[in-house]
Amino acid sequence: ITRRILGSAGCTACKLGVGLIQEVVASYKSEEEIRIQIERLCIYLGIEDERVCEGLSHEFKDEVLTVFDKLVLGPKEVCSILITDCGDPYNPLDDWNITLPETPKPPITPIKPPKPGSPVKRILQLSDIHLDVLYKPGSNAVCNEPLCCRPDDGQPGKGVPGAGKWGDYRNCDTPIWTLNNLFEHLQQISHQFDIVYWTGDLPAHNIWNQTRQDQVDILKRLHDLFVKYFPDKTIYSALGNHESSPVNSFPPPFITGNRSISWLYDALAEDWSTWLPNTTISTIKRGAFYEVSPFRGFRIVSINTNFCNNRNWWLLLNATDPAGQLQWLINILQQAENNQEKVHIIGHIPPGIKDCLRAWSWNYYKIVNRYESTIVAQFFGHTHNDHFEVFYDENDLKRPLNIAYISPSVTPYSDLNPGFRIYTVDGNYNGSSWAVLDHETYLLNLTSTNMYNTPKWTLEYSAKKAYGMNALNPADWDILITKMSTNNTLLNTFYRYYFKSRPDGSCDETCKKKVLCALRSGRSHDER
Ligand SMILES: [Zn+2]
Ligand SMILES: [Zn+2]
């Protein structure tokens, strides 16, 4: 996640800023002059401090120049896309529809629980590692920049504790020794999982000074770590929004040449090929998405959610199904349906949150509706919190039909404990449903770990037991939400896990409404 970068600047500041940038870009000044204007604007609007603004202006110069040069939208439209709650003017770029095949939707059959004693597979999900190779214990953890706890953040203020050894609750990412410790722990329990879903956001939050080479290096470094610790496991990756340079910058295929994203997608194709067949290479190079069938009757589809990322400014030029990904997804799902296969979708940005552009999100929702019997579950990250989104029948919003799990982050960024999750799914045998039967979430309590200097990864909770659920089908999650609306104990249990057992008070009425509404929103910008 990137909490700032225009996010905090507010609606008015955004419109002002966009208007000014448009003027500057149109004035045919030199690239360096334009960059300086961007830097000044960043400082003037109080987006970040001078050091960060200077870095950001270098990082974003190319993107801003290209996008604003070709942009046909005005400040009002741009800011309604970039900023949450900044008006809702009609935006022609946000108005497009995917085409579903004419094959009629098969009748819905109720999900049957597996026979007792049926085999299960276990899936480890790691999300949002945000590795900081420069993390420095004892350094300043309150630096008023997007990332602290690093050597150039100076000394902590008087009476303010410095960065903890194993990580910190303030704006700090994952130290390498904490990550190594996690991998050592996972290696010890590697008999407890069969495959891995790794759902993106690898680099730290130092978004103002990350080069393309830095990003490729982090990708390789983490890839090598997986190979070292889990030589026998297959890792299925999805792309995060932090993997690019600059952050959130994922030009669709219509941008070619040096400003294209091939530097990253080629590296992904190379690194991911350790675990994926050659059949995945062409779509990874085109748009960082792929599908693969690890077991008979079962497919994993990895999607690139940066094509719905509202901070991916390239989409201001054309947001219509970038790289043809959703149309491709429909093809894959139709094939799977024809073959009576089951599908897990993995991705990074959950489709129901405001970071996901409305048109993409609503089209995706339509696809999930059409293929509800084929898609068994979805797995995302990005928010760093522990939650989920229930998808409903578009024509009968009371009928739950799908579930997206949003797994907690490895990074403590920010004010969280590091965590990971293991799912138990029905499989692998002839006719297995691949439904999630239960999941367990583990965490590292940073307070005690830093206090006693002994990292211990412990079970936080298992879903069925903690929430008193019979099964983990979409209907069961829907029932849980309904229960939470009247049962405050249950609500506060969920709320505690949402923040990975960091005390954050209890959830009052306003909070409750917000939380429960979000759990029912698999479609973004859909308040009712
Ligand atoms: Zn993240
Ligand atoms: Zn993210």
Side-chain angles (χ1 to χ4, degrees), residues 118-137:
S118 300
V120 294
K121 287 273 179 213
R122 307 247 300 161
I123 301 169
L124 166 70
Q125 186 179 3
L126 289 178
S127 203
D128 298 85
I129 290 175
H130 292 287
L131 170 64
D132 186 5
V133 291
L134 293 181
Y135 188 94
K136 191 177 174 219

Side-chain angles (χ1 to χ4, degrees), residues 178-434:
T178 306
L179 189 64
N180 284 334
N181 184 274
L182 169 62
F183 274 63
E184 279 157 24
H185 171 75
L186 291 172
Q187 194 180 41
Q188 280 162 18
I189 62 158
S190 64
H191 58 282
Q192 292 183 26
F193 58 91
D194 302 285
I195 58 174
V196 181
Y197 291 166
W198 178 23
T199 45
D201 272 8
L202 287 36
H205 285 81
N206 56 315
I207 51 172
W208 68 97
N209 58 3
Q210 293 170 327
T211 64
R212 288 178 174 182
Q213 193 56 48
D214 291 338
Q215 307 302 62
V216 170
D217 289 347
I218 281 284
L219 175 68
K220 181 85 174 80
R221 187 167 183 153
L222 289 172
H223 163 274
D224 292 351
L225 213 57
F226 276 101
V227 172
K228 178 182 162 196
Y229 283 97
F230 314 118
D232 308 327
K233 307 275 188 210
T234 310
I235 320 295
Y236 300 96
S237 281
L239 184 63
N241 60 306
H242 276 267
E243 273 80 312
S244 192
S245 163
V247 64
N248 296 317
S249 178
F250 297 86
F254 59 78
I255 301 292
T256 54
N258 188 40
R259 285 177 187 177
S260 84
I261 190 84
S262 56
W263 63 273
L264 177 60
Y265 294 177
D266 288 355
L268 291 177
E270 164 88 31
D271 284 1
W272 290 354
S273 71
T274 305
W275 307 295
L276 300 176
N278 287 340
T279 48
T280 58
I281 290 176
S282 66
T283 51
I284 294 174
K285 288 197 167 186
R286 175 152 63 101
F289 52 87
Y290 63 86
E291 63 99 15
V292 62
S293 177
F295 304 103
R296 212 188 142 95
F298 175 55
R299 294 195 200 202
I300 296 166
V301 180
S302 175
I303 56 171
N304 179 358
T305 52
N306 291 298
F307 293 143
C308 91
N309 181 351
N310 68 346
R311 287 174 180 140
N312 183 6
W313 298 342
W314 297 99
L315 301 179
L316 293 171
L317 297 178
N318 185 346
T320 301
D321 193 13
Q325 178 181 229
L326 290 184
Q327 211 59 55
W328 168 87
L329 175 64
I330 291 168
N331 277 333
I332 299 300
L333 292 170
Q334 186 60 54
Q335 285 171 27
E337 181 183 291
N338 296 346
N339 299 340
Q340 299 188 322
E341 296 166 322
K342 298 296 179 188
V343 170
H344 284 180
I345 293 179
I346 63 172
H348 181 66
I349 300 174
I353 68 168
K354 285 178 173 170
D355 294 11
C356 184
L357 289 173
R358 188 180 188 279
W360 195 98
S361 175
W362 284 56
N363 275 304
Y364 179 80
Y365 206 82
K366 207 175 280 174
I367 297 171
V368 174
N369 258 259
R370 168 61 186 80
Y371 296 99
E372 61 168 295
S373 307
T374 299
I375 304 167
V376 189
Q378 311 163 51
F379 305 85
F380 298 95
H382 180 64
T383 65
H384 297 191
N385 297 106
D386 176 349
H387 50 133
F388 58 89
E389 288 171 355
V390 177
F391 285 55
Y392 295 86
D393 187 336
E394 285 179 314
N395 303 316
D396 169 13
L397 287 171
K398 288 202 165 56
R399 187 176 74 84
L401 54 72
N402 222 278
I403 173 77
Y405 293 99
I406 301 157
S407 182
S409 59
V410 170
T411 183
Y413 191 101
S414 52
D415 210 13
L416 301 165
N417 286 308
F420 66 89
R421 173 173 291 168
I422 297 177
Y423 301 87
T424 305
V425 302
D426 178 40
N428 168 35
Y429 56 93
N430 206 351
S432 45
S433 71
W434 293 98

Side-chain angles (χ1 to χ4, degrees), residues 137-202:
S139 63
N140 182 9
V142 191
C143 65
N144 292 316
E145 287 180 353
L147 183 65
C148 306
C149 299
R150 315 187 101 205
D152 60 1
D153 289 326
Q155 293 299 311
K158 236 186 154 187
V160 181
K165 179 178 171 191
W166 295 94
D168 203 281
Y169 291 123
R170 292 164 287 184
N171 276 5
C172 307
D173 274 321
T174 310
I176 184 72
W177 46 91
T178 306
L179 189 64
N180 284 334
N181 184 274
L182 169 62
F183 274 63
E184 279 157 24
H185 171 75
L186 291 172
Q187 194 180 41
Q188 280 162 18
I189 62 158
S190 64
H191 58 282
Q192 292 183 26
F193 58 91
D194 302 285
I195 58 174
V196 181
Y197 291 166
W198 178 23
T199 45
D201 272 8
L202 287 36

